[in-house]
Amino acid sequence: DTAVSQTPKYLVTQMGNDKSIKCEQNLGHDTMYWYKQDSKKFLKIMFSYNNKELIINETVPNRFSPKSPDKAHLNLHINSLELGDSAVYFCASSQNGGRETQYFGPGTRLLVL
Amino acid sequence: GQNIDQPTEMTATEGAIVQINCTYQTSGFNGLFWYQQHAGEAPTFLSYNVLDGLEEKGRFSSFLSRSKGYSYLLLKELQMKDSASYLCAVRCMTTDSWGKLQFGAGTQVVVTP
């Protein structure tokens, strides 16, 4: 009965590889987000989708490409991984176009070697 | 741009009270959230203020003054399990951001026996 789930929980990979992280929510929310939390624990928004449409796109390298196949899923694909991409990536969801509280998934810990 | 400031760390004894301050400068303010984040876990929602005043929820209370750009989170009867990072987040509603949350760097609260 997990509300917001992410896979994988841990991801260790080499520089230059391409990887994907998946997120699913069963809360019936219409808005989903990707955040990056760096080593200094600063949590920063990357993208947001409302009903499968991109509504927030922060200054993120275009190696990062989100995809929302339906409003319950938001995936993040990262091309040509770099050392600086190492961080924890959190998915979140909320209702009513982002006007309600955001609920976070457990995070994906990405380590690029 | 947005600017959110909160102390880096606070230490208090079990059973005591701790007040975590958050000041912000933002445009399109539409609410302030407090989240708790234990090490290695996801942020979890604690409280929300959009109007001036105090919101009380059990041992936790949150206060907002919009004119001063100021909020605090009050933790009473501290327990060891309250040791965590507390994140202040401001929601901004503008023409190009739908409920975008901007997070402060977090305040690490250490509860000692």
Side-chain angles (χ1 to χ4, degrees), chain B residues 63 70 111:
Chain B
F63 171 83
Y70 168 69
V111 181

Side-chain angles (χ1 to χ4, degrees), chain B:
Chain B
Q2 324 294 344
N3 198 16
I4 301 168
D5 289 312
Q6 51 181 130
T8 306
E9 186 170 310
M10 303 182 75
T11 301
T13 344
E14 210 172 359
I17 297 174
V18 72
Q19 177 174 316
I20 307 168
N21 296 325
C22 173
T23 57
Y24 63 90
Q25 292 173 308
T26 185
S27 54
F29 176 86
N30 193 26
L32 189 142
F33 294 78
W34 285 95
Y35 282 81
Q36 179 192 60
Q37 187 177 23
H38 285 102
E41 296 183 12
T44 54
F45 169 72
L46 286 180
S47 71
Y48 165 65
N49 296 70
V50 67
L51 300 175
D52 286 358
L54 189 68
E55 293 283 339
E56 296 188 83
K57 243 189 199 183
R59 294 188 299 113
F60 294 175
S61 306
S62 57
F63 171 83
L64 176 68
S65 168
R66 294 179 65 157
S67 60
K68 294 181 180 172
Y70 168 69
S71 172
Y72 67 72
L73 179 70
L74 196 68
L75 286 62
K76 302 177 206 168
E77 299 167 22
L78 277 172
Q79 301 175 10
M80 298 299 291
K81 68 178 182 179
D82 297 329
S83 291
S85 182
Y86 291 84
L87 309 175
C88 173
V90 172
R91 184 174 62 194
C92 308
M93 303 287 280
T94 63
T95 52
D96 62 353
S97 64
W98 287 46
K100 184 164 70 173
L101 281 188
Q102 299 282 353
F103 282 84
T107 298
Q108 185 65 42
V109 170
V110 178
V111 181
T112 58

Side-chain angles (χ1 to χ4, degrees), chain A residues 30-46:
Chain A
D30 60 9
T31 307
M32 295 183 72
Y33 309 81
W34 278 112
Y35 286 86
K36 179 180 180 181
Q37 190 169 44
D38 59 25
S39 56
K40 293 181 181 170
K41 307 301 180 190
F42 192 54
L43 196 60
K44 191 165 168 54
I45 181 97
M46 298 173 71

Side-chain angles (χ1 to χ4, degrees), chain A residues 5 8 21 28 40 49-50 63 65 69 79 105 109 113:
Chain A
S5 58
I21 309 172
K40 293 181 181 170
Y49 273 73
N50 174 253
R63 298 181 295 105
S65 50
N79 287 327
R109 284 135 193 88
L113 302 174

Side-chain angles (χ1 to χ4, degrees), chain A residues 16-81:
Chain A
N17 283 350
D18 303 337
K19 290 292 178 187
S20 290
I21 309 172
K22 294 180 187 297
C23 178
E24 177 181 0
Q25 54 93 6
N26 62 7
L27 297 166
H29 288 168
D30 60 9
T31 307
M32 295 183 72
Y33 309 81
W34 278 112
Y35 286 86
K36 179 180 180 181
Q37 190 169 44
D38 59 25
S39 56
K40 293 181 181 170
K41 307 301 180 190
F42 192 54
L43 196 60
K44 191 165 168 54
I45 181 97
M46 298 173 71
F47 301 103
S48 177
Y49 273 73
N50 174 253
N51 284 319
K52 303 194 297 173
E53 286 195 32
L54 183 66
I55 56 170
I56 295 175
N57 186 354
E58 293 292 282
T59 309
V60 176
N62 57 15
R63 298 181 295 105
F64 290 78
S65 50
K67 274 198 174 53
S68 182
D70 55 61
K71 68 177 192 177
H73 295 84
L74 181 61
N75 304 324
L76 184 65
H77 187 76
I78 316 171
N79 287 327
S80 304
L81 277 156

